[in-house]
Amino acid sequence: MSDDHSVLTERVGLVGVMALVVGNAISIPIFVLPGPLAGSAGPSVVIAALVAAIPAAFVVLYNAQLGSAMPVAGGLYVYISRLTSPFWGFLVPFTLSVVTWASLLFAAIGFAEYTRFFVGLPADLLIYGFLVFVLVVNLLGVKTVARLQVVFLALLVAALATFVVPGAFAVDAGNYTPVFPEGPGPFAVAVVALFYPYLGFGLLTELGEEIDDPGRTIPIALLSGIVIVAAVYLLLTVVLVGVMPWQQLGGTEAAVAVAATRFLPSWAAGFVALGAIFAVLSTVNTTLLVGSRTVMRAARDGILPQQFARIHPTLGTPHISVLALGVPPIFLATVVQQEVVELSVFIALATLTALFFAAIALWNLPVDFPEHYRNATLRFRRYRGLLFVVVGGMTVAAGFWLVTLLRVPEAGLLLVGWFLLGYGYYRYRVTQVGEDSGGLFMRMVTLDSHEAAFAREQSYEGVEEMRGEDAETGSGD
Amino acid sequence: MPVGRFRTDPAELDDLERRVSARQYPEGALVVGMGVGIAAPFLAQQLSLSLLLLSGPVGMAMGPVAGGVGGYLLGHRYRQWKLAASRAARGADDETDGEVGAEASARGGGGS
């Protein structure tokens, strides 16, 4: 591993990593979900925001350990394929594609909802315009947008503070009762749906090798990040439910901005609504970036067609992966526009499945790659702390999965149906490679080819950067 | 999805085992079993069929678990059978090749 670290040319420090994680986690769902969820679950949505942090804490622990032990790009796919089995690993990019579609749609719906707070444009137009814009930006490269990430995050934090601080003095305690007006069912759905925003913590495992001193930085950023994000979510939900009766929140578009008009002047409420747009801008590009990177990694192993690993010679982006992830939401937009809660439940369910397999991967890590585990800053004794963390995470993931299944069986059927389709494709691919299926298997269970590919990619990126600095000499090829 | 000490070291597998392992029979069967375990109680509920516990919440919660475990075990057995069948086929091929080779060398030997 150390050899691989030596070829890196660009690294992100602790502050940058914190900005990335917190900026990615405090995203559009915080503006979109609490309204409709409060409409069905009532004031219990506040407790749901807190309970949703429990599986998120396990995600953080797993990421902190796996990420610091094996700081590789395309993290989750690599961990699960190498440490559980190739098919479960393959399901990561295969399912991540649907999760990315759903996340982009979710962001587009939220963008339209909050933009309509300012201008009366048709929602369809805003959704399509947004999806095309994101696709084009990601095809062209996101360096400019990435540089603006810190600015967007600062504006987002300011917008949230504008809502939360004055709002804390405007709450009506009567709005918090009854806590469970519709029983425990909608509360359970709210817990699972509110787990979705915590997905941002998975970002670090995808960027592992580009982080400065990952063994130290990853655990610190993750552990302090989850405290910050959970506090922000809790405060926002407490104020939202406290200033507006839950019955009204259910049917209100741009609920956070509308609630803000109850205690803020219109210009300040407008700034809160702008916060949602900042949230979209600070997260949506990382969503597509991370997804395309994972697909690219799987293509390099050969389980997805090699075209997905191709980098555009001029744009320097994995354009085919970006198109595969960015185009379908444009066609799906009309179908799922009203289904924000269902979308988030589906995304959360897919993530909980990944959490389950990440737990098994973590348990296998000290046995399968002991030298990597020795490098991890955050380590537990296998039959003490590690067993507790692994079993705890698996139990929480399985428990949430079953609760969701009881409430929204369609989401479970859809996900398992997608997995079945994935198995069909996986077998087709294995048959296609024929006699080399043993070679494909070995590439998917060992780290050798992956680390070599990563080293090659870093060398390639280094060369590309030098070419960029030489500016338009055109002599590279 | 073998775990911990039950996990096979990929480096110890021969080419036939790797090829059969690549097909991931237990994992695929787990997904099929899980799908059946979700669909059966769901359909029973939709069609208002009272199939003992199947259509209730217990069936809904336990169906995917039972289906998944059952599917995995079946897939595991199938993989063992497939591996044994592949070995037998290879053995037969080798034997045939050996016989053909022996006949050829015998013919060659007789001819010389």
Side-chain angles (χ1 to χ4, degrees):
Chain A
M1 294 302 291
S2 56
D3 289 346
D4 292 331
H5 282 263
S6 66
V7 298
L8 295 177
T9 53
E10 215 173 289
R11 291 184 185 182
V12 188
L14 181 61
V15 176
V17 170
M18 288 283 291
L20 269 174
V21 168
V22 174
N24 202 49
I26 301 177
S27 53
I28 190 67
I30 196 172
F31 290 91
V32 175
L33 280 177
L37 287 176
S40 56
S44 67
V45 74
V46 175
I47 305 170
L50 203 60
V51 177
I54 297 172
F58 283 105
V59 171
V60 163
L61 273 176
Y62 294 171
N63 286 342
Q65 290 186 79
L66 288 164
S68 64
M70 274 191 206
V72 294
L76 202 56
Y77 160 71
V78 177
Y79 304 144
I80 294 181
S81 61
R82 272 65 178 174
L83 292 162
T84 65
S85 77
F87 175 62
W88 302 133
F90 161 73
L91 283 183
V92 173
F94 190 72
T95 308
L96 192 68
S97 56
V98 193
V99 168
T100 305
W101 300 343
S103 300
L104 289 174
L105 281 167
F106 196 97
I109 293 166
F111 174 77
E113 202 174 301
Y114 277 85
T115 305
R116 276 157 60 84
F117 187 79
F118 300 103
V119 286
L121 290 170
D124 282 351
L125 181 72
L126 291 165
I127 288 172
Y128 288 124
F130 174 83
L131 289 170
V132 171
F133 170 75
V134 170
L135 180 63
V136 171
V137 166
N138 275 274
L139 279 174
L140 295 177
V142 290
K143 277 189 177 173
T144 313
V145 178
R147 284 192 194 111
L148 290 173
Q149 174 88 353
V150 177
V151 179
F152 288 142
L153 180 61
L155 289 168
L156 170 60
V157 170
L160 287 170
T162 306
F163 180 76
V164 167
V165 177
F169 298 98
V171 295
D172 177 358
N175 285 340
Y176 296 118
T177 52
V179 180
F180 298 95
E182 303 291 336
F187 167 73
V189 174
V191 170
V192 177
L194 285 172
F195 171 57
Y196 164 36
Y198 288 100
L199 296 186
F201 288 98
L203 172 77
L204 279 196
T205 57
E206 308 302 322
L207 298 175
E209 290 174 5
E210 287 145 283
I211 292 169
D212 189 21
D213 192 5
R216 177 180 160 274
T217 307
I218 289 177
I220 293 176
L222 284 173
L223 295 173
S224 48
I226 192 169
V227 174
I228 295 170
V229 173
V232 168
Y233 272 65
L234 190 64
L235 288 170
L236 182 126
T237 320
V238 165
V239 171
L240 181 67
V241 177
V243 297
M244 198 165 162
W246 63 272
Q247 297 92 335
Q248 294 172 21
L249 281 169
T252 308
E253 262 200 10
V256 176
V258 172
T261 58
R262 299 200 163 203
F263 59 90
L264 289 173
S266 58
W267 64 266
F271 182 62
V272 171
L274 265 180
I277 295 164
F278 298 142
V280 170
L281 294 171
S282 69
T283 56
V284 78
N285 284 304
T286 45
T287 303
L288 198 47
L289 259 189
V290 167
S292 57
R293 182 164 216 147
T294 306
V295 167
M296 193 176 76
R297 285 288 168 196
R300 284 193 175 153
D301 275 347
I303 192 61
L304 290 174
Q306 290 294 320
Q307 287 88 333
F308 288 112
R310 205 180 289 163
I311 307 279
H312 193 279
T314 318
L315 303 172
T317 52
H319 57 297
I320 295 176
S321 291
V322 170
L323 284 170
L325 296 176
V327 171
I330 297 171
F331 294 100
L332 293 170
T334 47
V335 187
V336 293
Q337 244 181 72
Q338 302 302 319
E339 317 292 341
V340 283
V341 171
E342 287 75 5
L343 270 179
S344 62
V345 167
F346 178 82
I347 294 168
L349 211 54
T351 311
L352 285 166
T353 311
L355 173 64
F356 189 85
F357 287 109
I360 298 172
L362 183 59
W363 180 249
N364 286 337
L365 175 64
V367 174
D368 287 359
F369 296 100
E371 71 286 3
H372 287 78
Y373 193 59
R374 272 196 294 276
N375 290 336
T377 309
L378 191 64
R379 281 195 310 268
F380 295 114
R381 286 192 179 182
R382 195 149 188 259
Y383 286 96
R384 290 185 190 174
L386 191 64
L387 185 65
F388 170 75
V389 168
V390 166
V391 172
M394 286 172 80
T395 309
V396 169
F400 274 47
W401 222 100
L402 290 178
V403 165
T404 312
L405 207 59
L406 289 173
R407 296 296 309 173
V408 198
E410 297 87 346
L413 268 176
L414 197 65
L415 189 64
V416 174
W418 184 252
F419 289 170
L420 267 176
L421 201 67
Y423 186 67
Y425 174 79
Y426 175 90
R427 286 297 307 277
Y428 163 74
R429 191 75 189 154
V430 167
T431 311
Q432 207 180 30
V433 296
E435 285 297 305
D436 188 39
S437 60
L440 173 70
F441 176 76
M442 287 308 283
R443 282 197 297 281
M444 290 185 78
V445 295
T446 58
L447 277 174
D448 307 345
S449 63
H450 176 83
E451 289 176 346
F454 182 78
R456 278 199 304 276
E457 183 197 320
Q458 289 304 310
S459 309
Y460 173 80
E461 283 174 3
V463 170
E464 286 299 298
E465 267 178 25
M466 282 191 288
R467 281 179 189 168
E469 283 164 14
D470 288 345
E472 293 133 23
T473 56
S475 59
D477 291 324
Chain B
M1 187 184 40
V3 176
R5 69 189 179 87
F6 298 102
R7 193 169 151 77
T8 316
D9 182 355
E12 290 172 1
L13 301 177
D14 64 31
D15 65 321
L16 212 56
E17 287 169 327
R18 284 178 192 172
R19 232 184 291 164
V20 173
S21 294
R23 292 173 197 166
Q24 301 277 279
Y25 293 117
E27 287 78 4
L30 187 153
V31 174
V32 174
M34 210 170 163
V36 172
I38 297 174
F42 182 68
L43 285 175
Q45 212 171 44
Q46 296 295 308
L47 300 171
S48 305
L49 299 173
S50 54
L51 301 172
L52 297 171
L53 288 171
L54 192 65
S55 53
V58 177
M60 211 61 167
M62 294 312 294
V65 178
V69 171
Y72 183 84
L73 293 175
L74 277 175
H76 193 70
R77 289 297 297 271
Y78 184 74
R79 182 173 69 179
Q80 285 175 322
W81 175 81
K82 191 81 182 169
L83 192 60
S86 302
R87 283 199 198 289
R90 179 178 278 186
D93 283 350
D94 289 349
E95 215 168 274
T96 311
D97 289 347
E99 280 170 12
V100 170
E103 276 175 24
S105 58
R107 275 200 301 272
S112 61

